[in-house]
Amino acid sequence: MRTMAVRANLTSAAGVLSLLNEPESEIKVFALQRLDELVGDFWAEIAEAISKIEELYEDAEFPERELSALVASKVYYHLGAFELSLMYALGAGEKFDVNGTSEFIETIISKCIDHYTKLRVKRFEGETDETFIDPRLESIVNRMFQRCLHDGRYKQAVGIAIETRRIDVLQEAIEQSNDIPGMLAYSMKVALSLINSPKFRNMVLQVLVRTYEQLETPDYISVCQCYIFLDDAESTAQVLEKLVRGSKDDALIAYQIGFDLYESATQHFLRRVQEVIRAALPAPVPATPPKDVGKKPEELVEAVQETGGQGGVAVPQQESAPASEGESVPMQETGGPSVPVQETGDPGEG
């Protein structure tokens, strides 16, 4: 309340600015503290003395260099010089409070994350770690991550972690969440829709696979979905083989995965899964030959006759019918050819 009353009575920051010319450091520190409070209202007037504030920051012996950097950052923010504002915000160190909710804080944090993201992506896409990242910049981003985790804004932390290629923060946000399956599903959605780099997307999916498998009840359906995008047919086949050898519920999950694979995987991927599964199967055991195998045909007939046609192959029995005209009657016991039977009339006829 006292600060608001003082602001209401002030019409100019000239008196406070004049204190910056005093030789005593304590007076200059007091002046900076007052300017930090007044900069929102008198930034245009303070901007005329920005060179003096910058000199205090560059003075290695000045006790409140971080405070002078914070004031300079706020002045440049109001002037619209965001790059300079960011530069002095980095110099402000702990004086730059990431937990603040002012428009100045939110804007500079956004600029920090954008700049940090560009550097991280450049480093990640390159084969070396030669891209320099200011430790002060990384410190602000790390404090922003901790703020998100502390406030329970896990989705925001996941989004920023993916943008900045911070796998460590991604894992931490998922593990600290009170809804790990939900965070895993959200992370997969973000990874598949927003990540343009196949290399980094695969890294994220591998993290998700490990986390899915470490759940109290592993989510093998989601694991295999990740494997599809990773183009890992061998691991998919191993999951299916493990499930079919498990309980009845595991087998049902395997069937569900099979349906999902049919709907979402390519034919080439399905063929590779089949090849891996077939290669892992044991050699087929030869079927036990029937007892009758190896017997001569006449022995088979005798065996059937002895059992009355039961057992083995059933042989249908037909009743013998009288031979009609033109039918052939086999010769008995002679093995000779069949001859036609003709009706014989009365010898007197003809």
Side-chain angles (χ1 to χ4, degrees), residues 243 246-254:
L243 290 174
S247 65
K248 183 178 180 180
D249 291 338
D250 291 340
L252 292 176
I253 294 175

Side-chain angles (χ1 to χ4, degrees), residues 73-347:
S73 177
K74 291 181 177 181
V75 171
Y76 281 119
Y77 163 75
H78 288 289
L79 291 172
F82 296 117
E83 291 186 3
L84 287 173
S85 179
L86 173 58
M87 182 185 72
Y88 281 104
L90 297 180
E94 297 294 331
K95 294 289 185 181
F96 182 81
D97 184 11
V98 297
N99 296 316
T101 57
S102 66
E103 184 178 348
F104 162 71
I105 294 292
E106 296 295 339
T107 302
I108 298 304
I109 287 178
S110 177
K111 296 295 181 181
C112 282
I113 292 174
D114 290 344
H115 186 52
Y116 182 71
T117 298
K118 292 179 182 179
L119 297 175
R120 287 286 301 178
V121 170
K122 185 177 180 181
R123 172 184 287 186
F124 182 84
E125 297 299 335
E127 298 298 329
T128 63
D129 294 338
E130 295 180 356
T131 302
F132 175 74
I133 298 179
D134 194 325
R136 300 173 301 174
L137 174 64
E138 195 157 38
S139 175
I140 290 179
V141 175
N142 286 338
R143 283 188 282 150
M144 182 60 192
F145 280 133
Q146 293 304 316
R147 170 186 170 184
C148 290
L149 298 177
H150 180 269
D151 295 344
R153 294 183 290 172
Y154 300 110
K155 288 186 177 181
Q156 184 179 3
V158 166
I160 298 175
I162 289 177
E163 286 183 359
T164 57
R165 306 299 192 260
R166 290 288 298 272
I167 291 292
D168 58 328
V169 178
L170 172 65
Q171 289 179 297
E172 187 176 1
I174 293 174
E175 292 171 359
Q176 288 191 18
S177 170
N178 52 7
D179 181 18
I180 295 180
M183 287 303 302
L184 285 168
Y186 176 78
S187 300
M188 180 184 292
K189 180 180 178 180
V190 172
L192 297 178
S193 60
L194 299 181
I195 300 178
N196 296 323
S197 168
K199 178 182 176 182
F200 183 68
R201 181 170 60 247
N202 290 347
M203 290 180 63
V204 172
L205 290 175
Q206 289 168 355
V207 170
L208 298 183
V209 166
R210 290 195 297 270
T211 310
Y212 273 123
E213 293 177 335
Q214 292 172 358
L215 294 176
E216 184 176 353
T217 302
D219 186 351
Y220 289 113
I221 294 177
S222 297
V223 166
C224 288
Q225 286 292 329
C226 291
Y227 282 146
I228 292 174
F229 291 103
L230 288 169
D231 196 28
D232 192 345
E234 182 176 355
S235 296
T236 304
Q238 291 173 354
V239 170
L240 290 173
E241 184 180 2
K242 176 181 179 180
L243 290 174
V244 297
R245 295 179 185 276
S247 65
K248 183 178 180 180
D249 291 338
D250 291 340
L252 292 176
I253 294 175
Y255 278 114
Q256 181 61 55
I257 292 174
F259 288 127
D260 293 343
L261 290 174
Y262 178 78
E263 292 179 355
S264 56
T266 63
Q267 290 297 318
H268 177 64
F269 186 87
L270 294 177
R271 283 195 298 269
R272 289 163 54 203
V273 172
Q274 291 175 338
E275 291 171 358
V276 175
I277 292 177
R278 287 170 179 168
L281 291 175
V285 179
T288 304
K291 297 179 179 179
D292 296 334
V293 173
K295 292 185 178 181
K296 296 180 180 180
E298 56 270 22
E299 294 175 342
L300 292 176
V301 174
E302 291 176 1
V304 172
Q305 290 175 346
E306 291 174 357
T307 59
Q310 297 177 357
V313 179
V315 179
Q317 297 181 355
Q318 296 180 353
E319 295 181 357
S320 59
S324 60
E325 182 179 358
E327 287 183 340
S328 298
V329 178
M331 297 197 58
Q332 301 294 328
E333 298 180 356
T334 61
S338 300
V339 295
V341 177
Q342 296 181 357
E343 291 185 0
T344 56
D346 189 353

